[in-house]
Amino acid sequence: MSIWWSLHLRREAASVPLARRLLLGTMETAGVDPDVSYELSLALTEACANAVEHGGAGADPDGGQTGPGGAPPGAYRVTAYLDGETCRIEVADSGPGFPYAEAPAASSDAEHGRGMRLIEELSDHVRFGNRSGRGGAVVSFDKILKWKDAPSLLMA
């Protein structure tokens, strides 16, 4: 089974629960184990919160304002892929991007960086990078899926 969706969301705190609910609904329908769904939804929440806080609108090469993938200014993009035994989630914004090749490491008393560390702990594989061209950060993470005994999608 393969499912994917992509959202362009405003950089507002209210957009974060929308992305989380859509992911949880997709996972429930596909029959993903609730513990795995919860971990992925928490990682998604952290990635979206990072985009809302740091993902300011970037300028396009002609001087106009544009968000990721041509989205309106002040937007960020969330894409989720459930393909076979893996879920991959990508959150892209149009802010300044990460200043280093990797996300900042958080110390125990650090004000910033804990969300990125949490994403690393909840996922099997994480990539932090910057968008080429117009700029912005990209957080992409994968997790191997576990399944419930009887997936809702197969019961319908």
Side-chain angles (χ1 to χ4, degrees), residues 45-69:
T45 298
E46 292 297 332
C48 289
N50 188 68
V52 167
E53 184 174 349
H54 302 290
D60 70 17
D62 298 323
Q65 296 294 308
T66 184

Side-chain angles (χ1 to χ4, degrees), residues 32-59:
V32 175
D33 178 81
D35 291 338
V36 173
S37 297
Y38 175 76
E39 290 174 356
L40 278 169
S41 72
L42 186 54
L44 174 63
T45 298
E46 292 297 332
C48 289
N50 188 68
V52 167
E53 184 174 349
H54 302 290

